[in-house]
């Protein structure tokens, strides 16, 4: 947990929304919006490195997005695979560590292999950590953590009373990664859509109407400027934080 006020968020989590509407505005198929969205991903990675952000978590495909038309889903899978092919070497040479969050067992075996190879290639890198949430759902994440803990209880490895927030944290897909400081959702909707539910407990939220493919460095700076003005109290009073009362 990062209980401190810092002007630059160490971990930024983004719901990259609005690709479809971006394409619609241009009388193009939705897929073109997703393609432009990938370009915006390349940009935000560069901008986060320039701003010394440590972790960037991007929501790319939710566990609910399977409900979309089959054609859109298969185009998104194809795009994911192409983007990995094109980007991973460059990410590696930029010292980026890539991690996929989500239930990848639902993907084709070739995509699963690609994901594992990309993670393996970059696992010892020490620069920006990029988490891509794919077939991810916050409820799924908590459920799989509970299952892992229940298995340990059944085998006698763990007592029910030893289950703590820390032991749940350790079983989440984000284990070992500090919680997001700043959450950004583009595209105008003001909801969390089953992203990092547990992890967002004390994250500062920022919503913008900018559609994801249009999100640029100015938008990022706006979000960071808004973040830097927030007082993160974590339940304490303002006076306590300013040292006027006992901590
Ligand atoms: C976000 O953009 C990308 C994914 C969910 C894969 P959308 O595709 O949801 O775009 P809108 O919300 O329809 O504009
Ligand atoms: C959330 O966007 C998921 C991703 C950006 C990957 P959606 O567009 O799927 O969210 P809802 O359906 O509007 O809540
Ligand atoms: Mg959307």
């Amino acid at each position: 947990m990062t209980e401190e006020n810092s002007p630059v968020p160490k971990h930024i989590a983004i719901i990259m929304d609005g690709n479809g509407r971006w394409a619609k505005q241009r009388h193009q198929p939705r897929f073109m919006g997703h393609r432009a969205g990938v370009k915006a991903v390349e940009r935000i990675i560069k901008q986060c490195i320039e701003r010394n952000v440590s972790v960037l978590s991007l929501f790319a495909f939710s566990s609910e997005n399977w409900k979309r038309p089959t054609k859109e889903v298969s185009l998104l899978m194809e795009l994911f695979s192409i983007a990995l092919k094109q980007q991973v070497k460059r990410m590696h040479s930029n010292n980026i560590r890539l991690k996929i969050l989500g239930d990848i067992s639902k993907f084709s075996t070739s995509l699963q292999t690609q994901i594992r190879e990309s993670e393996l290639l970059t696992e010892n890198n020490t620069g920006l950590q990029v988490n891509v949430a794919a077939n991810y759902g916050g409820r799924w994440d908590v459920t799989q953590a509970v299952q892992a803990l229940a298995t340990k209880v059944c085998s006698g490895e763990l007592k029910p009373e030893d289950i703590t927030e820390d032991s749940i944290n350790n079983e989440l897909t984000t284990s070992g990664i500090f919680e997001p400081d700043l959450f950004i959702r583009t595209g105008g909707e003001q909801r969390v859509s089953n992203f990092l539910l547990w992890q967002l407990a004390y994250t500062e939220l920022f919503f913008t109407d900018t559609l994801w493919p249009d999100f640029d460095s100015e938008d990022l700076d706006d979000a960071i400027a808004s973040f830097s003005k927030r007082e993160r109290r974590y339940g304490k009073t303002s006076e306590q934080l300013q040292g006027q009362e006992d901590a």
Side-chain angles (χ1 to χ4, degrees):
M1 233 177 264
T2 49
E3 287 206 19
E4 61 186 53
N5 291 298
S6 151
V8 176
K10 286 205 287 178
H11 182 173
I12 301 181
I14 306 182
I15 297 191
M16 311 181 290
D17 197 19
N19 295 350
R21 279 163 285 166
W22 183 92
K24 200 170 178 192
Q25 279 177 354
R26 287 160 179 75
H27 309 286
Q28 290 174 358
R30 292 178 59 83
F31 175 66
M32 296 303 282
H34 296 314
R35 249 178 46 175
V38 174
K39 292 269 166 240
V41 168
E42 286 178 45
R43 291 201 303 269
I44 190 90
I45 289 175
K46 202 164 157 268
Q47 290 154 4
C48 283
I49 293 173
E50 287 164 1
R51 285 160 184 76
N52 259 324
V53 171
S54 306
V55 184
L56 173 67
S57 298
L58 301 169
F59 205 5
F61 189 86
S62 77
S63 43
E64 289 71 37
N65 287 146
W66 296 106
K67 295 177 194 157
R68 293 194 176 195
T70 323
K71 189 154 173 266
E72 179 167 348
V73 170
S74 62
L75 283 170
L76 279 167
M77 294 299 144
E78 218 175 291
L79 194 60
F80 188 24
S81 169
I82 292 169
L84 278 179
K85 230 171 260 164
Q86 290 176 344
Q87 306 287 330
V88 170
K89 279 206 186 86
R90 191 165 346 130
M91 288 175 123
H92 185 46
S93 60
N94 283 313
N95 198 22
I96 291 169
R97 181 175 178 187
L98 179 68
K99 190 174 160 61
I100 309 301
L101 310 177
D103 180 7
I104 70 162
S105 70
K106 297 285 179 295
F107 295 149
S108 70
T109 44
S110 64
L111 185 53
Q112 289 182 46
T113 307
Q114 228 188 327
I115 288 171
R116 275 193 219 100
E117 285 175 357
S118 309
E119 289 182 329
L120 207 62
L121 177 72
T122 62
E123 75 176 349
N124 294 319
N125 290 343
T126 54
L128 178 71
Q129 164 147 9
V130 175
N131 299 320
V132 175
N135 191 22
Y136 180 87
R139 288 179 179 171
W140 164 82
D141 202 356
V142 173
T143 306
Q144 65 81 32
V146 169
Q147 278 176 359
L149 289 172
T151 307
K152 286 184 182 170
V153 169
C154 286
S155 70
E157 202 184 315
L158 191 72
K159 290 199 209 89
E161 57 270 31
D162 290 337
I163 296 176
T164 59
E165 289 193 10
D166 279 346
S167 56
I168 295 174
N169 256 326
N170 289 338
E171 299 296 343
L172 292 170
T173 53
T174 49
S175 156
I177 306 166
F178 41 85
E179 292 161 15
D181 300 296
L182 172 63
F183 161 100
I184 301 171
R185 182 173 186 144
T186 63
E189 312 300 348
Q190 302 197 353
R191 53 178 175 253
V192 176
S193 297
N194 202 12
F195 197 23
L196 302 157
L197 298 181
W198 171 283
Q199 297 86 338
L200 290 175
Y202 263 107
T203 303
E204 296 297 329
L205 308 180
F206 182 87
F207 299 95
T208 170
D209 288 337
T210 303
L211 303 174
W212 175 247
D214 290 329
F215 193 85
D216 61 16
S217 59
E218 220 173 287
D219 294 300
L220 179 61
D221 286 334
D222 284 349
I224 294 177
S226 167
F227 170 84
S228 67
K229 290 194 206 95
R230 317 264 179 106
E231 183 179 58
R232 304 185 77 188
R233 289 193 288 276
Y234 298 97
K236 293 183 182 173
T237 67
S238 201
E239 289 74 16
Q240 279 178 302
L241 291 175
Q242 286 153 24
Q244 292 160 12
E245 273 178 20
D246 289 346

